[in-house]
Amino acid sequence: MILPPIPTPFDREGRLDTQAFRELAEALEPLVDGLLIYGSNGEGVHLTPEERARGLRALKPRKPFLVGLMEETVPQAERALLEAQEAGAMALLATPPRYYHASLGEGLVAYYKALAERMPIFLYHVPQNTKVDLPLSAVETLAQHPRITGIKDSSGDLTRLAFYQAHLRDDFRVFTGHAPTFLGALALGAEGGILAAANLAPRAYRSLLEAFRTGRLSEAQALQKRLFPLGNLLSRGGVPLLKQAMRHLGLPAGYPRPPYPQESPIWKEFRPVLEALKEEGWLL
């Protein structure tokens, strides 16, 4: 499966644009297998509770979707849990608590189990943003819970993917969020990708996944190599670069919420990569 973490559109003043949000989701959904709403590239940490609710109400996904959760405590998460349930999300994608992570101890496992009592949960390992490592021992323990059904790992650490394949139950769903190592993650058992780059090149990543699944490995390797600059630069440029690229392609992705910059300092480096892939027919 390929699921893009869709951006949340804000206007230049930082106001949520629900019409653009709906139009963006409707443009992307036919090209992919599902969506992630309010993930890292959806600026979930920048939204007020009221905005989260208003944005979810504006969307009517027909395909499976996840909703990101980046809170610190269960009481903070209650409203988002209820809204994701009411919207029909297949699961919440939850980062670990991070502000007091050094003293969290067994509270980490307790936090995820408390969330899972309310609805299915995907673990979310994204240390480049949270600055917190999700311990493999905790992942192994949590994967035994029947309502903790998967993980998105955006670290790019393929040794972690190897651990998941070797130690977790067969039906535990593993997705990578790291486009530069997408093919390696598939080779280590990942089901698919929840990739920022899939907002720009959904056909390309679905083609890569299909080539791998059908044993056309040389084709998959060539396509991974061709897509590497796209994923690598997006990993560096983050939300400002992704939104700028989507605006360039005519998509209503809006702007990052202030104080984050509206334009990326590496856009000049990224634009030729984008244009070349567009000429080859790999982009939207």
Side-chain angles (χ1 to χ4, degrees):
M1 295 180 71
I2 300 295
L3 295 86
I6 65 170
T8 302
F10 301 102
D11 66 17
R12 287 184 178 272
E13 285 69 48
R15 295 170 298 205
L16 177 66
D17 187 337
T18 54
Q19 181 176 345
F21 202 12
R22 181 172 57 253
E23 291 173 357
L24 180 61
E26 289 174 351
L28 287 170
E29 190 177 25
L31 305 176
V32 293
D33 302 303
L35 301 172
L36 167 60
I37 300 163
Y38 302 152
S40 297
N41 287 281
E43 295 177 84
V45 293
H46 293 169
L47 293 160
T48 67
E50 291 74 19
E51 287 171 332
R52 283 182 63 97
R54 187 152 50 93
L56 270 181
R57 286 196 301 268
L59 303 182
K60 304 294 181 185
R62 294 181 175 85
K63 292 182 178 179
F65 67 97
L66 296 162
V67 175
L69 179 72
M70 302 172 186
E71 300 290 2
E72 294 290 317
T73 67
V74 175
Q76 288 177 304
E78 290 283 3
R79 177 172 175 176
L81 281 159
L82 179 60
E83 289 165 354
Q85 286 176 319
E86 291 176 346
M90 68 175 180
L92 274 176
L93 178 71
T95 55
R98 51 203 175 273
Y99 193 83
Y100 298 112
H101 67 91
S103 58
L104 189 58
E106 294 181 359
L108 174 66
V109 170
Y111 174 73
Y112 277 116
K113 286 184 175 180
L115 297 181
E117 289 177 4
R118 293 157 174 81
M119 73 176 296
I121 297 296
F122 270 53
L123 310 176
Y124 187 11
H125 181 58
V126 56
Q128 56 268 51
N129 289 350
T130 63
K131 312 306 177 187
V132 174
D133 186 68
L134 188 56
L136 291 173
S137 58
V139 175
E140 187 172 16
T141 297
L142 290 166
Q144 298 171 28
H145 193 291
R147 288 167 64 86
I148 299 176
T149 57
I151 187 169
K152 176 188 176 185
D153 193 310
S154 296
S155 67
D157 182 353
L158 293 181
T159 61
R160 290 184 66 97
L161 277 290
F163 178 90
Y164 303 154
Q165 186 181 55
H167 294 280
L168 306 186
R169 68 179 199 259
D170 290 342
D171 64 343
F172 193 77
R173 305 178 72 181
V174 175
F175 289 84
T176 180
H178 192 254
T181 57
F182 180 49
L183 183 57
L186 294 178
L188 289 168
E191 179 180 335
I194 305 175
L195 306 170
N199 285 293
L200 301 170
R203 294 187 183 93
Y205 285 99
R206 291 186 84 183
S207 295
L208 198 165
L209 178 58
E210 181 63 20
F212 174 79
R213 285 177 173 171
T214 56
R216 293 177 282 127
L217 299 184
S218 60
E219 182 179 335
Q221 288 175 318
L223 191 48
Q224 174 71 72
K225 183 177 180 180
R226 183 68 192 90
L227 292 170
F228 181 84
L230 182 78
N232 188 49
L233 289 170
L234 278 176
S235 295
R236 288 170 47 199
V239 172
L241 182 60
L242 174 63
K243 285 189 166 182
Q244 188 169 1
M246 295 181 79
R247 294 195 306 271
H248 180 74
L249 295 175
L251 292 165
Y255 299 85
R257 173 157 267 182
Y260 293 90
Q262 295 186 354
E263 296 188 357
S264 170
I266 64 172
W267 171 245
K268 288 184 179 180
E269 182 181 355
F270 187 70
R271 182 171 178 173
V273 173
L274 195 70
E275 294 293 349
L277 288 169
K278 183 178 179 180
E279 289 180 10
E280 295 168 18
W282 288 121
L283 301 189
L284 291 160

